[in-house]
Amino acid sequence: GALGGLGLALGLWRRQAALAAAREDEEEKELRQRFMAPPVSGLRELRRRRRELRSRMELLIMETQAEVCRALAALDPGVSFAVDSWERQEGGGGISCVLQDGEVFEKAGVNVSVVSGHLSEEAARQMRSRGKSLKAKDGKLPFCAMGVSSVIHPKNPHVPTMHFNYRYFEIEEADGTIQWWFGGGTDLTPTYLNEEDAVHFHKTLKEACDKHDLKLYPKYKKWCDDYFYIKHRGERRGIGGIFFDDMDSPSKEEVFQFVKSCAKAVVPCYIPIVKKHCHDPFTPEEKLWQQLRRGRYVEFNLLYDRGTKFGLLTPGSRIESILMSLPLTARWEYMHNPPESSKEAEILQVLRNPKDWVH
């Protein structure tokens, strides 16, 4: 009798194990379909460590990439995203999704990267200059960084350029202490000002922030206006949005949930604006003004953007993915000044004096 009972228990255990394995396979298939490519850390590894924040963040950035790519592809069905998985010798890798020369988008890129290794001296210096006390062991600082980042340059000058980036960072100090923080933001760069669009964009981001703390939107809106500032021009890169960095309180879980809300707000804050204007008629003069504004975009990204600088300072980083943010076309004219009280002068006013769009 005891042997029979053992056999029954063994049979039951096998059935449960087979069911669990089938469930896992089903889950894996579903995840694979949800993403643009298999995740850098591998699905099994992510599932094995699914309670750890690093795994949850990687799943979030993968989901955000797929969500945004599908929303963009639905608006520009004539072209498709080139999906490029790459590995980094020093540790980790990424997935770059880039669409070029569409009817609606001249260039749209949505990148995910999950990298680890040791911080270069220049990158550590850049972080220390922001007040981080990083104590290295034998001159080495192990780090892990992951994020999703995107820049979308539409063809029509009446559709704004949009950028977003959400990232997580961990650094292990000499005594084994782990320093962690989140950073990111979403911002809009129109060629021409449309107040209704500006209000919609900012309101959507404010709603995402307000779910967590009413103080966050005004604080991060101001930070965004200050960060995307082209010092040598005395103007902002665009009409802002939200931006934050080094966010490590109130708790890891709370900050993660906040970042998740911001990432989920990307499609609703931008896609309706694209739909509304992608078929607007435009003149050659308006296209020319768009090219000049794109020149400003390039100036900011190459001279001031911290993410671009960090990427260029990280050994083994993928230059193609870092410079994905640059448009296919841009223009620089000597001493170009738009006529006073023109539509072109109107946007410059707002770029020089940021507005409160939601009150």
Side-chain angles (χ1 to χ4, degrees), residues 46 54-55 104 109 112 145 168 189 205 220 223 250 272 282 286 296 342 349-350:
L46 283 180
R54 265 161 72 160
S55 297
V104 175
V112 153
Y168 174 67
T189 305
L205 294 178
Y220 295 154
W223 197 340
F282 60 88
E286 288 170 333
R296 298 283 207 269
S342 62
Q349 270 306 104
V350 173

Side-chain angles (χ1 to χ4, degrees), residues 290-300 327 330-332:
Q290 182 193 46
Q291 300 291 296
L292 290 165
R293 296 313 309 160
R294 291 230 189 111
R296 298 283 207 269
Y297 205 91
V298 172
E299 287 174 28
F300 178 85
R331 187 179 172 102
W332 287 266

Side-chain angles (χ1 to χ4, degrees), residues 196-215:
E196 205 179 85
D197 297 343
V199 170
H200 164 79
F201 184 80
H202 276 268
K203 256 195 172 151
T204 311
L205 294 178
K206 182 181 184 296
E207 279 161 21
C209 293
D210 285 356
K211 279 182 206 162
H212 301 269
D213 186 336
L214 296 178
K215 291 199 262 326

